[in-house]
Structures are given as C-alpha cells and as structure tokens.
Amino acid sequence: MKYSYLLLVISSLATGCIKDDIWNCPPKVNTTVYFSLEDYDGNDIFPTEVDRVELFVYDSEGMLASRSSISKGELNIFTGKRLYLDPGTYTVIVWANAVRSQIVVNEDIHWLDRTHNHAMTAVPAGGALDDGDPLWYAPKENGTPLTVVVPGQGEVEVTAELRHAHVKLDVTVEGYDLVSRSDATEPLRMEVTDLTSRYDFDMNAHGERVSYQGHAPYTGSAGGYNRMFNIPVFDRDTPIRILITDSNGEQIHPDIRLSELLNESIDVKKLRYMPVIVRFSEDIGDPATIRVEVTVDLPGWSEGAVSPEM
C-alpha cells in the first residue's frame, strides 16, 4: 500500500495537479473548433486539400486570445482543435496551407488592422516566387465573421467552413512549333504579374504587386507546354497579366490580360480553376499566316477567343 501511495503522489506531481492546489490544474477543455472544406457538390475535400492549419481566436475586444498551428498528422487524427477559453464571445479566423505565405500577427492589435495582421506572400529581393500557396480561409462568407459564445458552464462547438483564397491558373500553349525559331522542345518561361501580395484577416486583398514565374516543359502533345500557378483571388478589374517567353528570352505573343478573358457568365467570386489556352494555328485562308488565340476552357465560357495582334 505504501508503494501504491507513492506512485499516486509522483503521478500527481508530474501533471502539476494536486488536490489541495487546484491553481496548478490545467483548465478543462470547453471549446471545440472543427474544420470543414467541401466542393460545390458538397463532397468533403478537406483530407486531400489541406496539409496544415493556422487557427486564431480573438476576444470581444478584437485581441488575440489563442493561436494554434496544427499539422497534417494531427489533422489526420482529429479534424479540429480542442481548447479552453474563458467565458465570452470570440471571433475565429483560419488560414490553411500557409507555406510560402507568411502569417504576420501582432497580439496587441485588433485583428482587423491590416498593417499589423495579415497573410503575405514573401518575395525574394530582385526576383519572383515560383508559385503561391493553395491557400484556404475561414469564415466562408464574405463580411460574416465566425463567432462563438463560450458559456460559463459546459462546452461549445463551432465549425470553421473553409473557402478558397487561391485560384489554380492552368496555362497551356498549343501549336507553338508552328512559329518557333528555336528548338520547340525547350521549355517556355511563364510569368504571372501584378498579383496581390497581401490579405488582411478579413481576406481583403491589398499591398504591393508581385509576380510568380517558372518554366513550362514541352509535353509533346500538339506541340504543347503547360504550367500551373496558385494565384490569389481577383476581381473582374484585375491587372494580372500572363507573359510567355521562349528559350531566347523573346516574348512569343502580346501580354495576356486576365480581365479581357472574363465574361459575365462566370461568377469570379466562385472561380477556383481557370484553364487558359494559348493556341497557335495556320490561317485557313492564308497558310503563310499564323494566328494566335487565347481562350478559357471552362463550360459556360460563351464568348469567343481573344485574338491578340501579332
């Protein structure tokens, strides 16, 4: 019996919780935040799309009350976070998949202060990033904060439904071998310019403009090249451009402006994937003339191709 009592005392000391000293006892978990991500058909895509989560909880004064970084391994066990919060009303913010992006937070500043609290794209001095993050964010609805009221007694649960904070820009070049003056199998260089560099914690875009760039390898299919970028969300008036140059550094076509490819049939706020095709072809009436057309290969994209002046 003496031995058993000794084990009990050692166990209590190890946890820092002794019956006569309740101040050392950790508070009981009273708040659970679940994470959810669905596609437009209602299918759960969280396990395949999200690798890490940054959870921020702000109190009624807008000050940081809790911050948690949750890894893929933890998310595989439990798609959420359990924590203790003092009774009160809180605002929940979630950023998911922030790898290249930096989450900048000042816990002494209100969460809506875009100068001190934001997610930003880090750009190396004198150069551009190769890509952005496939970034996700909660709350799901624009202008509707996700709040949770923690009671004095009992527990509370809330679900943070994520929405996209990126667009997959899929750029393909077809038929370039018709006009190539060099080795058509050499990769093309693609650059996406005038991208927004920051989101505030209400997911409003701001900050200086940045670029992503990389090489598009030759696919061998119809003289094709392909490169995909994860870019920040944008509106119809976006200044974003796509520049494509060959192995000699010469631009193979005029700038492609995304604003010229957007039409009213597509809800830009819901756009997650934008496949842009740059197609070179011989003019049927004049085989010596090469035409270049730029199209967006999406259902419902009813307007015709954009034909830049060559």
Side-chain angles (χ1 to χ4, degrees):
M1 292 298 294
K2 290 182 179 180
Y3 181 67
S4 299
Y5 179 74
L6 180 61
L7 283 180
L8 176 62
V9 172
I10 292 174
S11 176
S12 298
L13 289 173
T15 60
C17 185
I18 302 176
K19 181 178 180 181
D20 295 330
D21 185 11
I22 62 174
W23 298 109
N24 285 328
C25 297
K28 180 183 177 182
V29 169
N30 63 357
T31 305
T32 301
V33 181
Y34 295 100
F35 307 125
S36 171
L37 176 59
E38 296 182 346
D39 62 19
Y40 291 125
D41 295 322
N43 300 310
D44 178 22
I45 58 174
F46 186 95
T48 59
E49 295 293 333
V50 176
D51 291 325
R52 60 185 292 180
V53 165
E54 299 288 335
L55 170 65
F56 300 86
V57 182
Y58 289 88
D59 63 21
S60 58
E61 301 298 321
M63 300 296 107
L64 185 64
S66 174
R67 176 177 182 174
S68 305
S69 296
I70 306 152
S71 68
K72 179 67 171 177
E74 295 172 288
L75 294 169
N76 286 339
I77 298 172
F78 178 63
T79 312
K81 179 68 178 179
R82 299 183 177 96
L83 61 158
Y84 174 83
L85 296 172
D86 291 330
T89 301
Y90 296 87
T91 299
V92 176
I93 303 292
V94 175
W95 294 101
N97 290 352
V99 178
R100 294 177 177 86
S101 302
Q102 298 176 354
I103 308 295
V104 179
V105 175
N106 188 322
E107 62 184 38
D108 298 321
I109 301 295
H110 194 284
W111 66 275
L112 284 176
D113 186 309
R114 63 165 50 187
T115 301
H116 296 90
N117 299 307
H118 54 258
M120 68 176 295
T121 299
V123 180
L129 287 179
D130 60 345
D131 200 359
D133 291 327
L135 198 62
W136 303 89
Y137 170 85
K140 187 174 183 178
E141 300 298 329
N142 287 329
T144 305
L146 177 60
T147 58
V148 56
V149 179
V150 179
Q153 298 291 330
E155 300 182 10
V156 65
E157 298 178 348
V158 64
T159 298
E161 296 181 84
L162 299 172
R163 59 181 163 123
H164 70 292
H166 74 287
V167 175
K168 286 191 177 296
L169 180 63
D170 188 356
V171 185
T172 300
V173 175
E174 296 179 352
Y176 176 63
D177 53 333
L178 295 174
V179 297
S180 175
R181 285 171 291 191
S182 58
D183 185 357
T185 63
E186 287 292 321
L188 297 177
R189 180 181 176 275
M190 296 186 180
E191 181 176 6
V192 187
T193 73
D194 300 292
L195 298 166
T196 305
S197 61
R198 293 186 180 187
Y199 287 118
D200 64 22
F201 264 46
D202 206 19
M203 219 191 92
N204 296 304
H206 68 106
E208 66 276 11
R209 295 286 174 169
V210 298
S211 298
Y212 299 159
Q213 64 181 23
H215 287 92
Y218 178 69
T219 65
S221 174
Y225 304 76
N226 179 259
R227 173 82 188 196
M228 190 176 303
F229 297 92
N230 294 307
I231 67 173
V233 296
F234 52 85
D235 56 29
R236 293 188 181 280
D237 298 325
T238 178
I240 294 175
R241 296 174 297 148
I242 303 172
L243 308 178
I244 305 176
T245 53
D246 63 18
S247 58
N248 295 320
E250 296 184 8
Q251 194 165 326
I252 70 171
H253 66 83
D255 295 359
I256 299 171
R257 298 184 180 275
L258 257 57
S259 60
E260 297 178 356
L261 300 177
L262 302 174
N263 63 47
E264 298 300 327
S265 66
I266 299 297
D267 187 346
V268 178
K269 291 183 179 180
K270 293 184 177 181
L271 185 63
R272 292 183 182 176
Y273 175 65
M274 185 173 180
V276 176
I277 299 178
V278 182
R279 182 176 291 111
F280 291 86
S281 62
E282 294 179 347
D283 190 303
I284 297 178
D286 182 5
T289 301
I290 302 297
R291 299 180 59 196
V292 57
E293 297 181 333
V294 182
T295 58
V296 178
D297 187 19
L298 281 176
W301 211 273
S302 58
E303 295 184 6
V306 176
S307 299
E309 294 293 333
M310 292 298 288

